[in-house]
Amino acid sequence: MGRPRDPELEQRLLAATWELVTTEGFEALTMSRIAAAANAHRSDVYRRWPTKMQVVTAALAAHLPAVSNMDTGTLRGDLRQYVDDLWASWSSPWIDPVVGLLSELARDPEAEAAFLAMSKRRAHPIRDAIARAVRRGEIADVPDLALLGDLLEGPIMHRRMIGRQVMTADDLDAVVDAAYRLFTLTVPTS
């Protein structure tokens, strides 16, 4: 029987990983640098996460700002809250270094699976918003949740990554209104 895991060490390793990847980027990150920044041994990192992608994915899951699950009373309000939270992440200064890791996910199936699981967890608020909207009678059927997520986050990602622009409150409203109209087939009244 080995030593029990040290949660404090794990948190230090994840914090060091997050700090390094968000300040210096994915390419500059090494297991040795993570260990040194956490005042640990390289074997401590490898024992928990065998690859760089796996430790970065774990750090992302631990440090990515939460998406709130606030019930605003309307589907449109819930969608707007969700989009606000997405924009808060996509407009953060740490997003550019983190985006570099997305292209590397396909090379590590375990990291990719962990990333997809994290993405599904982060989508719970939108699933809950849809369930509330169905119960309130705002929509009759549950839409394709993956498509809804793509419709909401796609323009935000594109504006930030490709256009290198800021989204205004009006831009975010337009994204929400387009998704709302598509899934309710009505014009929002707010």
Side-chain angles (χ1 to χ4, degrees):
M1 181 173 198
R3 277 187 301 170
R5 278 194 126 147
D6 179 353
E8 192 271 328
L9 173 60
E10 199 160 296
Q11 291 308 308
R12 282 195 339 258
L13 293 167
L14 291 174
T17 302
W18 182 252
E19 176 66 24
L20 289 168
V21 81
T22 58
T23 58
E24 299 178 24
F26 177 75
E27 293 77 21
L29 189 69
T30 66
M31 300 297 227
S32 295
R33 292 189 71 207
I34 293 167
N39 196 26
H41 298 282
R42 201 169 68 154
S43 62
D44 292 327
V45 183
Y46 279 109
R47 195 174 303 122
R48 289 160 176 80
W49 305 281
T51 69
K52 181 167 94 165
M53 274 308 306
Q54 290 175 25
V55 68
V56 171
T57 302
L60 185 63
H63 290 91
L64 195 62
V67 177
S68 57
N69 197 354
M70 181 187 312
D71 182 356
T72 66
T74 67
L75 176 59
R76 188 193 182 286
D78 291 350
L79 294 176
R80 185 60 162 92
Q81 180 62 50
Y82 185 74
V83 164
D84 283 344
D85 290 346
L86 293 176
W87 180 244
S89 289
W90 281 102
S91 62
S92 297
W94 50 259
I95 198 69
D96 286 335
V98 170
V99 166
L101 75 94
L102 296 177
S103 64
E104 298 292 322
L105 278 174
R107 297 179 190 195
D108 187 330
E110 281 191 46
E112 186 173 33
F115 184 85
L116 292 174
M118 178 196 62
S119 295
K120 284 183 181 181
R121 284 190 305 275
R122 287 181 59 77
H124 281 278
I126 201 69
R127 285 189 200 91
D128 293 347
I130 294 298
R132 289 190 299 266
V134 169
R135 284 193 302 272
R136 286 191 298 258
E138 287 182 85
I139 57 175
D141 296 315
V142 175
D144 178 338
L145 294 177
L147 177 60
L148 178 58
D150 292 347
L151 287 171
L152 294 171
E153 193 162 17
I156 293 169
M157 291 170 56
H158 187 274
R159 180 71 58 97
R160 177 68 170 96
M161 292 171 57
I162 307 300
R164 311 302 287 167
Q165 300 170 336
V166 172
M167 291 197 80
T168 66
D170 289 341
D171 295 333
L172 295 173
D173 282 337
V175 168
V176 169
D177 289 344
Y180 183 87
R181 280 193 298 271
L182 179 63
F183 288 106
T184 64
L185 300 177
T186 63
V187 177
T189 57
S190 58

